[in-house]
Amino acid sequence: MKAKLNLAVCLGVLVSIAMSASAENANIVIDGKFDDWASVPTIATDPADNPGAIDFISLQAANDEHFVYIRYTLAESANPQKGAGVYLSIDEDNNPSTGFNPFGLGVIGSEASWQNDFPFEQATDHFNTGNALVGAIYAASPYATETTSVEIKIPRTAKHNADGKSVFPENGKTIRIAVWTEEGANDLIGGEYTLTAP
Ligand SMILES: [Ca+2]
Ligand SMILES: [Ca+2]
Ligand SMILES: [Ca+2]
């Protein structure tokens, strides 16, 4: 028993050394602490214009070989999972005229979305096609509690079950990312992000 435990500890140390030494790690940890975002570019900003509700202020994105990382901030503390919660949308082809266009704003044409942590497929004029996204379970922190900022990571394995197409293109390609709620146009923030080799 003791020998097994020691082996597990040794393996854990080796794994953590390997991970921290990797040049392909974005060095973002989904832990509800945001100092790891200090040097990450902001891809979109929005005014404080929705008092008393979820009011998006800024959106950041990063990636490494394994994940796409997204962080948003709010003007005032709110529980992002309250009610219908927060939608996170990916415009896979960086084309707002293809895919679902929330509120008709033309900010994003989404092919893949998450309602809180639940992934689903979208298409032009289809809020939900009914087709699943697989390999798409995201991690977020904080979750289902009052906060002014949330960090999320989505695995790059995410793909459409219907045709096997990846949600995220290869490095060098540009997508659009947006977060929004059902409460109206004041609550949508989105912009372009180009996936990069770390
Ligand atoms: Ca963090
Ligand atoms: Ca706002
Ligand atoms: Ca699109």
Side-chain angles (χ1 to χ4, degrees):
M1 185 73 169
K2 193 175 180 188
K4 275 185 184 170
L5 274 173
N6 287 341
L7 179 61
V9 169
C10 289
L11 283 173
V13 169
L14 284 174
V15 167
S16 68
I17 288 170
M19 287 179 71
S20 63
S22 171
E24 293 162 343
N25 191 310
N27 293 320
I28 290 169
V29 180
I30 305 302
D31 58 1
K33 299 173 188 168
F34 300 99
D35 51 333
D36 41 1
W37 290 87
S39 63
V40 175
T42 297
I43 65 168
T45 60
D46 192 71
D49 52 5
N50 195 28
I54 294 168
D55 188 351
F56 297 112
I57 288 290
S58 69
L59 185 63
Q60 290 169 278
N63 75 275
D64 57 25
E65 183 188 0
H66 303 293
F67 295 97
V68 171
Y69 302 86
I70 295 161
R71 177 200 181 187
Y72 63 79
T73 63
L74 304 174
E76 57 188 88
S77 189
N79 178 352
Q81 275 65 58
K82 194 177 174 188
V86 167
Y87 292 89
L88 189 165
S89 293
I90 303 296
D91 187 338
E92 298 172 2
D93 56 358
N94 188 25
N95 184 353
S97 68
T98 61
F100 187 72
N101 180 2
F103 313 119
L105 292 174
V107 173
I108 191 163
S110 166
E111 285 79 27
S113 279
W114 286 252
Q115 182 179 15
N116 298 318
D117 61 358
F118 179 79
F120 61 100
E121 183 185 70
Q122 297 192 301
T124 306
D125 297 329
H126 290 278
F127 171 75
N128 184 347
T129 66
N131 295 326
L133 300 178
V134 294
I137 300 300
Y138 84 24
S141 184
Y143 193 80
T145 188
E146 298 248 334
T147 186
T148 55
S149 187
V150 175
E151 57 185 343
I152 297 166
K153 70 175 181 182
I154 307 174
R156 289 184 72 169
T157 54
K159 65 179 182 180
H160 297 263
N161 198 39
D163 61 7
K165 185 176 181 296
S166 291
V167 170
F168 298 108
E170 65 266 36
N171 293 337
K173 293 281 178 61
T174 300
I175 59 175
R176 300 183 73 81
I177 300 170
V179 289
W180 49 285
T181 76
E182 291 182 347
E183 295 178 6
N186 285 347
D187 298 310
L188 186 147
I189 183 172
E192 286 188 348
Y193 177 69
T194 300
L195 291 124
T196 55

PDB file of all heavy atoms in Angstrom, residues 46-50 54-57 75 186-188, ligand 2:
ATOM      1  N   ASP A  46     -16.768  46.084 -24.054  1.00  0.00           N
ATOM      2  CA  ASP A  46     -18.159  46.530 -24.119  1.00  0.00           C
ATOM      3  C   ASP A  46     -18.380  47.460 -22.923  1.00  0.00           C
ATOM      4  O   ASP A  46     -17.808  47.242 -21.863  1.00  0.00           O
ATOM      5  CB  ASP A  46     -19.098  45.321 -24.031  1.00  0.00           C
ATOM      6  CG  ASP A  46     -20.525  45.681 -24.373  1.00  0.00           C
ATOM      7  OD1 ASP A  46     -20.800  45.944 -25.554  1.00  0.00           O
ATOM      8  OD2 ASP A  46     -21.365  45.703 -23.453  1.00  0.00           O
ATOM      9  N   PRO A  47     -19.204  48.506 -23.090  1.00  0.00           N
ATOM     10  CA  PRO A  47     -19.426  49.409 -21.956  1.00  0.00           C
ATOM     11  C   PRO A  47     -20.194  48.743 -20.809  1.00  0.00           C
ATOM     12  O   PRO A  47     -20.842  47.717 -21.011  1.00  0.00           O
ATOM     13  CB  PRO A  47     -20.275  50.535 -22.556  1.00  0.00           C
ATOM     14  CG  PRO A  47     -20.340  50.303 -24.022  1.00  0.00           C
ATOM     15  CD  PRO A  47     -19.921  48.905 -24.298  1.00  0.00           C
ATOM     16  N   ALA A  48     -20.115  49.350 -19.641  1.00  0.00           N
ATOM     17  CA  ALA A  48     -21.003  48.989 -18.533  1.00  0.00           C
ATOM     18  C   ALA A  48     -22.360  49.595 -18.861  1.00  0.00           C
ATOM     19  O   ALA A  48     -22.571  50.796 -18.722  1.00  0.00           O
ATOM     20  CB  ALA A  48     -20.453  49.522 -17.215  1.00  0.00           C
ATOM     21  N   ASP A  49     -23.275  48.764 -19.372  1.00  0.00           N
ATOM     22  CA  ASP A  49     -24.525  49.297 -19.920  1.00  0.00           C
ATOM     23  C   ASP A  49     -25.733  48.431 -19.574  1.00  0.00           C
ATOM     24  O   ASP A  49     -26.788  48.555 -20.188  1.00  0.00           O
ATOM     25  CB  ASP A  49     -24.401  49.422 -21.457  1.00  0.00           C
ATOM     26  CG  ASP A  49     -23.943  48.123 -22.114  1.00  0.00           C
ATOM     27  OD1 ASP A  49     -23.807  47.097 -21.397  1.00  0.00           O
ATOM     28  OD2 ASP A  49     -23.702  48.127 -23.333  1.00  0.00           O
ATOM     29  N   ASN A  50     -25.569  47.557 -18.593  1.00  0.00           N
ATOM     30  CA  ASN A  50     -26.672  46.651 -18.274  1.00  0.00           C
ATOM     31  C   ASN A  50     -26.753  46.451 -16.762  1.00  0.00           C
ATOM     32  O   ASN A  50     -26.599  45.336 -16.258  1.00  0.00           O
ATOM     33  CB  ASN A  50     -26.468  45.320 -18.997  1.00  0.00           C
ATOM     34  CG  ASN A  50     -27.721  44.483 -19.016  1.00  0.00           C
ATOM     35  OD1 ASN A  50     -28.829  45.001 -18.971  1.00  0.00           O
ATOM     36  ND2 ASN A  50     -27.552  43.177 -19.059  1.00  0.00           N
ATOM     37  N   ILE A  54     -26.234  40.520 -15.878  1.00  0.00           N
ATOM     38  CA  ILE A  54     -24.931  40.123 -16.407  1.00  0.00           C
ATOM     39  C   ILE A  54     -24.501  41.171 -17.423  1.00  0.00           C
ATOM     40  O   ILE A  54     -25.189  41.393 -18.422  1.00  0.00           O
ATOM     41  CB  ILE A  54     -25.017  38.721 -17.042  1.00  0.00           C
ATOM     42  CG1 ILE A  54     -25.310  37.679 -15.953  1.00  0.00           C
ATOM     43  CG2 ILE A  54     -23.729  38.380 -17.778  1.00  0.00           C
ATOM     44  CD1 ILE A  54     -25.688  36.315 -16.494  1.00  0.00           C
ATOM     45  N   ASP A  55     -23.406  41.850 -17.152  1.00  0.00           N
ATOM     46  CA  ASP A  55     -22.987  43.009 -17.955  1.00  0.00           C
ATOM     47  C   ASP A  55     -21.530  42.814 -18.371  1.00  0.00           C
ATOM     48  O   ASP A  55     -20.609  43.138 -17.632  1.00  0.00           O
ATOM     49  CB  ASP A  55     -23.167  44.285 -17.126  1.00  0.00           C
ATOM     50  CG  ASP A  55     -22.953  45.536 -17.940  1.00  0.00           C
ATOM     51  OD1 ASP A  55     -22.495  45.442 -19.098  1.00  0.00           O
ATOM     52  OD2 ASP A  55     -23.237  46.634 -17.399  1.00  0.00           O
ATOM     53  N   PHE A  56     -21.341  42.294 -19.590  1.00  0.00           N
ATOM     54  CA  PHE A  56     -19.992  41.992 -20.066  1.00  0.00           C
ATOM     55  C   PHE A  56     -19.193  43.269 -20.311  1.00  0.00           C
ATOM     56  O   PHE A  56     -19.709  44.254 -20.834  1.00  0.00           O
ATOM     57  CB  PHE A  56     -20.049  41.166 -21.359  1.00  0.00           C
ATOM     58  CG  PHE A  56     -20.690  39.821 -21.174  1.00  0.00           C
ATOM     59  CD1 PHE A  56     -21.914  39.535 -21.758  1.00  0.00           C
ATOM     60  CD2 PHE A  56     -20.074  38.850 -20.405  1.00  0.00           C
ATOM     61  CE1 PHE A  56     -22.511  38.294 -21.585  1.00  0.00           C
ATOM     62  CE2 PHE A  56     -20.665  37.606 -20.219  1.00  0.00           C
ATOM     63  CZ  PHE A  56     -21.893  37.333 -20.814  1.00  0.00           C
ATOM     64  N   ILE A  57     -17.906  43.209 -19.940  1.00  0.00           N
ATOM     65  CA  ILE A  57     -16.995  44.345 -20.065  1.00  0.00           C
ATOM     66  C   ILE A  57     -15.830  44.026 -20.993  1.00  0.00           C
ATOM     67  O   ILE A  57     -15.427  44.844 -21.805  1.00  0.00           O
ATOM     68  CB  ILE A  57     -16.441  44.725 -18.666  1.00  0.00           C
ATOM     69  CG1 ILE A  57     -17.548  45.371 -17.843  1.00  0.00           C
ATOM     70  CG2 ILE A  57     -15.240  45.650 -18.776  1.00  0.00           C
ATOM     71  CD1 ILE A  57     -17.954  46.751 -18.318  1.00  0.00           C
ATOM     72  N   ALA A  75     -19.201  43.966 -15.326  1.00  0.00           N
ATOM     73  CA  ALA A  75     -19.171  45.295 -14.706  1.00  0.00           C
ATOM     74  C   ALA A  75     -19.489  45.226 -13.224  1.00  0.00           C
ATOM     75  O   ALA A  75     -18.995  46.031 -12.440  1.00  0.00           O
ATOM     76  CB  ALA A  75     -20.149  46.226 -15.409  1.00  0.00           C
ATOM     77  N   ASN A 186     -27.431  44.307 -25.259  1.00  0.00           N
ATOM     78  CA  ASN A 186     -26.436  44.899 -24.372  1.00  0.00           C
ATOM     79  C   ASN A 186     -25.506  43.854 -23.784  1.00  0.00           C
ATOM     80  O   ASN A 186     -24.441  44.182 -23.274  1.00  0.00           O
ATOM     81  CB  ASN A 186     -27.117  45.629 -23.217  1.00  0.00           C
ATOM     82  CG  ASN A 186     -27.717  46.936 -23.655  1.00  0.00           C
ATOM     83  OD1 ASN A 186     -27.427  47.420 -24.749  1.00  0.00           O
ATOM     84  ND2 ASN A 186     -28.547  47.500 -22.814  1.00  0.00           N
ATOM     85  N   ASP A 187     -25.920  42.612 -23.834  1.00  0.00           N
ATOM     86  CA  ASP A 187     -25.185  41.549 -23.163  1.00  0.00           C
ATOM     87  C   ASP A 187     -24.450  40.640 -24.137  1.00  0.00           C
ATOM     88  O   ASP A 187     -24.295  39.453 -23.868  1.00  0.00           O
ATOM     89  CB  ASP A 187     -26.142  40.703 -22.327  1.00  0.00           C
ATOM     90  CG  ASP A 187     -26.806  41.505 -21.246  1.00  0.00           C
ATOM     91  OD1 ASP A 187     -26.081  42.189 -20.520  1.00  0.00           O
ATOM     92  OD2 ASP A 187     -28.026  41.460 -21.151  1.00  0.00           O
ATOM     93  N   LEU A 188     -24.040  41.157 -25.276  1.00  0.00           N
ATOM     94  CA  LEU A 188     -23.241  40.358 -26.203  1.00  0.00           C
ATOM     95  C   LEU A 188     -21.910  41.052 -26.425  1.00  0.00           C
ATOM     96  O   LEU A 188     -21.850  42.242 -26.713  1.00  0.00           O
ATOM     97  CB  LEU A 188     -23.962  40.159 -27.536  1.00  0.00           C
ATOM     98  CG  LEU A 188     -23.249  39.215 -28.524  1.00  0.00           C
ATOM     99  CD1 LEU A 188     -24.256  38.443 -29.372  1.00  0.00           C
ATOM    100  CD2 LEU A 188     -22.286  39.977 -29.426  1.00  0.00           C
TER     101      LEU A 188
HETATM  102 CA    CA B   2     -21.904  45.507 -21.252  1.00  0.00          CA
END
